[in-house]
Amino acid sequence: MNPTLDEHVRNDPRILALYLEARRRYNETARAHHNFTHVMRDLHRALLIAEDEDSVNYSILIPSVLLHDIGFCTPDSTKEGHDLAGAHLAEEMLPPLAYEDQEVSAIAHCIRAHKGHAELPQTLEAEILYDADVLEKAGLVFLLFGGKIIGEFEETMEVFLEREIHHRTTELARGLYTRKGKELDGGRLEKVLSLFSLIRTEVTQERPDYRVSEQNLWTKGVPSL
Ligand SMILES: [Fe+2]
Ligand SMILES: [Fe+2]
């Protein structure tokens, strides 16, 4: 059966208030990929993974997943990274919703560790969030999401491919933390890495026509009006 939030909200009504506030902020920012739909997919995966683990603190896990990309809803994400910016924003959002200091720290850690860049997961909840978010990239469908990310970040295909190949390589070397996460991956992360590598070879070595810009079409500079 699909995991749902109902029981968790009955046990901890703060989750509903946070859910509504997080949804409002993601929808207001309306990013092409890092939006509330992405958060819902991560949340579904995180709950599936959590069912397979003992002693998960859902009052930490669910808020962490809901807020893990909230950094993209602040202008600070470009300066310090969305993981750090998101942890800072969570530290502001959570106390008014009756979260205790210790809970805020635990949730902020999960958010900072969800990329495995600013810090590595030190708790079960952080490990589950990390796996749930990495699994977003572990499917052929991520090749299509890639186009949305290129548009969202207004970046070139080359920049996207370099970054994603680097990240997939690091994630594969690190490995997923949970048993269920590994099962859900089923080798897809590795497949995505090899396909991105093939695309990079095609674009950079075999088909330079995909990299043509206006400058390539003029010898003495691009004409202006
Ligand atoms: Fe993220
Ligand atoms: Fe994410």
Side-chain angles (χ1 to χ4, degrees):
M1 215 171 70
N2 274 345
T4 61
L5 290 173
D6 310 64
E7 193 191 329
H8 299 298
V9 168
R10 268 195 298 276
N11 294 336
D12 181 355
R14 297 173 300 178
I15 289 173
L16 178 59
L18 186 64
Y19 178 97
L20 296 172
E21 177 58 11
R23 185 177 68 184
R24 186 189 68 75
R25 290 185 187 236
Y26 285 110
N27 288 348
E28 198 174 81
T29 310
R31 285 189 166 250
H33 178 73
H34 296 96
N35 50 34
F36 200 60
T37 312
H38 159 63
V39 172
M40 289 299 93
R41 285 193 294 269
D42 275 15
L43 191 50
H44 176 82
R45 286 183 208 111
L47 293 174
L48 275 182
I49 294 169
E51 278 179 350
D52 193 54
E53 299 288 334
D54 295 325
S55 332
V56 175
N57 184 339
Y58 287 95
S59 293
I60 301 300
L61 177 65
I62 296 173
S64 302
V65 182
L66 285 171
L67 298 182
H68 83 278
D69 275 342
I70 205 77
F72 282 123
C73 301
T74 128
D76 297 339
S77 69
T78 44
K79 277 184 263 158
E80 54 179 347
H82 78 278
D83 40 7
L84 294 180
H88 291 145
L89 183 53
E91 284 163 352
E92 287 171 24
M93 288 173 66
L94 291 165
L97 295 173
Y99 284 86
E100 309 282 339
D101 287 355
Q102 242 183 343
E103 294 173 307
V104 175
S105 304
I107 295 165
H109 163 65
C110 292
I111 298 171
R112 282 195 302 272
H114 87 271
K115 295 293 294 175
H117 297 161
E119 53 195 70
L120 289 174
Q122 305 291 330
T123 62
L124 175 59
E125 292 76 22
E127 290 178 347
I128 294 173
L129 169 59
Y130 174 90
D131 281 9
D133 197 48
V134 167
L135 285 166
E136 175 84 337
K137 294 110 184 175
L140 293 182
V141 68
F142 193 67
L143 301 186
L144 301 182
F145 285 152
K148 288 165 68 170
I149 294 172
I150 288 170
E152 180 181 312
F153 290 167
E154 297 181 349
E155 61 189 2
T156 64
M157 202 159 42
E158 291 88 336
V159 167
F160 169 81
L161 287 169
E162 281 306 316
R163 183 188 61 243
E164 297 300 317
I165 287 169
H166 172 68
H167 286 177
R168 287 312 76 74
T169 305
T170 310
E171 289 152 7
L172 278 164
R174 181 180 294 141
L176 292 169
Y177 290 96
T178 63
R179 191 206 67 81
K180 187 70 178 174
K182 288 175 188 147
E183 181 192 305
L184 290 170
D185 171 44
R188 290 182 181 87
L189 205 58
E190 201 163 356
K191 199 189 276 182
V192 168
L193 173 61
S194 61
L195 287 170
F196 276 155
S197 304
L198 279 175
I199 297 172
R200 181 173 62 178
T201 303
E202 179 178 275
V203 171
T204 59
Q205 293 169 36
E206 299 165 2
R207 292 287 304 268
D209 49 320
Y210 284 124
R211 303 174 75 196
V212 169
S213 67
E214 213 178 345
Q215 279 82 357
N216 299 116
L217 298 173
W218 300 93
T219 45
K220 291 181 183 164
V222 177
S224 55
L225 281 176

